[in-house]
Each structure stands twice: as structure tokens, then as C-alpha cells.
Amino acid sequence: ENFDDVDGEEETTFKDIIGETLKFTITIAGAKGIPRSLRNNVNVSYKFFTSNHRTVPCQSRTINPKFNDTFQVKMPITEEFVTFINKEALEFQVWGTSDQVIESKAPLNIEQQQEKERKEKASALEEAKNEGEQNVNKIKSKVEEELKAAASKVRILKEQAESKEMELKQRMMELENQLSKRNTKVEDLESKIKVLESTIELTEQKKSSTCIIS
């Protein structure tokens, strides 16, 4: 925390005092020549090794803001710090807000507020309308797909029914043909039976006549 033990006649580097604590003060008095478009809420930030700091934004709208900011830095001297201090520099960054941003955040009068609310409501209604149309289109598309699927299913069932009907008609025709053939056979058999009966009857009559003559 103090370097009284270090011989002032010799050049001392940070490597010589590793393990000690470094204390110093950074003072930012102000800035000059800020662009007029960024002269609002001007502030300064910087990073020094592990130390970060940002000034309070200047409340006045000016290109030459005053800060009078003082910041105490206290950090141990390590090998990492020595490497940093040999390669890096203390860099300050100046920040400001544009006039357009400030104006956009400025309070509105009653008429402006009403106009803003009217536009927001109109935008909300338009968004709701678009969303509703999208939902209707989705539902319509889904219904059309379901109707197409149902129509396709009906068509398939109709084709299956027609095919089954054709099969049944063909089967009935086959059965009718078979029945017709059987009827023909039965009629033929009946005709043969009648012929046979007639033949038997004639034979019996002949036998009877033969017996009488005898």
C-alpha cells in the first residue's frame, strides 16, 4: 500500500512491486466539442483492467458538458495486471443521446396523446382483423381438405360398391345359367321317364294280349 521501502535512486517497475496495492484517482472534469446531434445526456465511461466506471449523465443540453467526476481506484498488483499495463491503455468512451430519441421520449399533450391512442387502437384493430382473417383462412383450408378427403373416401366406397354389385350380378347370372342347365336336364330326364313308362305300358299290353290268345 505504500512504496517507502523502494529505493528512490533506482528505476522501479510494476514487476518489482508485485503483491503491493496500487491506489490512484481518476478525475474527469468535462468534455468539449460533442456533436450537436448527440449533445443530450452526455456521459463518459472507461474500463481499466478490472475497474469499470461511468459518470452521471450531464443534465444540460450542451456540446461542452461538465462532469467534475472523481473516482478512486484500488487494485492489487499481479502478474496479470503487469501484462495488462504493458499492453493496454486507459480508454475513455463518450456517450450521448440523439435529439430524435429525446423528442420521441418527450411528454405528449392531450391531442397528441389522443392521436397516439387512436393510432394504437387502429393498429390493434388491424392486427386483430388480420389475425382473424388468417384464422378464417386456416379453418377454411382445413374444412376444404376434410371435404376433399371425405369426397375421396365416398368415391372409393362407391367404386367398391359398384364393383361388388357387378360381382353379385355376374354370380347371379352364373347361378341362373346353372339353374337353367339343371332344368333342362330335369326336363330331359322327365321326357325319358315318360318314354320309358310308355314303353313299359306297351310291353305289358302285348303280354296281356298274348295270354288271351293262348
Side-chain angles (χ1 to χ4, degrees):
E1 296 187 358
N2 62 70
F3 309 137
D4 294 341
D5 295 336
V6 178
D7 189 352
E9 294 180 358
E10 297 180 2
E11 183 180 354
T12 303
T13 65
F14 282 106
K15 285 186 177 181
D16 298 325
I17 54 176
I18 289 178
E20 301 289 347
T21 298
L22 176 65
K23 290 182 180 180
F24 61 95
T25 301
I26 297 177
T27 299
I28 303 175
K32 292 183 179 181
I34 303 297
R36 297 185 67 82
S37 60
L38 298 173
R39 58 183 173 171
N40 306 283
N41 299 325
V42 179
N43 63 91
V44 178
S45 68
Y46 67 85
K47 180 179 180 182
F48 182 73
F49 195 45
T50 59
S51 176
N52 297 279
H53 182 64
R54 182 185 291 270
T55 66
V56 176
C58 180
Q59 299 302 311
S60 58
R61 196 177 188 183
T62 176
I63 63 173
N64 300 312
K66 301 294 182 182
F67 303 111
N68 296 319
D69 182 271
T70 300
F71 183 68
Q72 297 287 336
V73 179
K74 179 181 178 181
M75 61 180 59
I77 300 174
T78 62
E79 291 184 359
E80 290 80 8
F81 174 79
V82 173
T83 301
F84 169 82
I85 206 68
N86 287 330
K87 293 183 179 180
E88 305 294 337
L90 177 59
E91 180 180 351
F92 294 88
Q93 293 182 334
V94 182
W95 304 81
T97 306
S98 66
D99 293 338
Q100 290 85 350
V101 174
I102 295 298
E103 290 173 359
S104 67
K105 294 182 179 180
L108 304 177
N109 58 36
I110 295 177
E111 292 181 356
Q112 290 174 328
Q113 184 65 32
Q114 290 176 344
E115 179 66 15
K116 180 182 178 182
E117 292 177 356
R118 185 191 66 77
K119 289 182 178 179
E120 289 177 350
K121 288 180 180 179
S123 177
L125 288 173
E126 184 67 21
E127 184 177 351
K129 179 182 176 182
N130 293 336
E131 185 177 355
E133 290 178 352
Q134 291 177 358
N135 291 334
V136 169
N137 291 334
K138 287 180 180 179
I139 293 173
K140 183 178 178 181
S141 177
K142 184 177 181 180
V143 170
E144 289 177 351
E145 290 178 358
E146 291 177 351
L147 287 174
K148 288 181 181 179
S152 177
K153 188 174 182 179
V154 168
R155 178 178 56 79
I156 293 172
L157 291 174
K158 183 178 179 181
E159 291 176 354
Q160 292 176 347
E162 290 176 350
S163 176
K164 194 69 176 178
E165 183 180 3
M166 291 293 294
E167 290 179 2
L168 290 173
K169 286 182 178 179
Q170 185 176 358
R171 181 60 177 166
M172 287 181 66
M173 290 178 63
E174 291 176 355
L175 291 174
E176 287 176 354
N177 290 334
Q178 291 177 3
L179 182 59
S180 176
K181 289 179 180 180
R182 288 182 181 180
N183 289 336
T184 300
K185 289 181 179 179
V186 169
E187 290 176 355
D188 185 52
L189 182 60
E190 288 178 346
S191 176
K192 289 180 179 180
I193 290 172
K194 287 181 179 181
V195 171
L196 182 61
E197 288 177 346
S198 298
T199 301
I200 292 172
E201 184 177 355
L202 288 173
T203 303
E204 289 179 351
Q205 288 177 359
K206 287 180 179 181
K207 287 182 179 181
S208 177
S209 298
T210 301
C211 290
I212 294 172
I213 294 174
S214 298

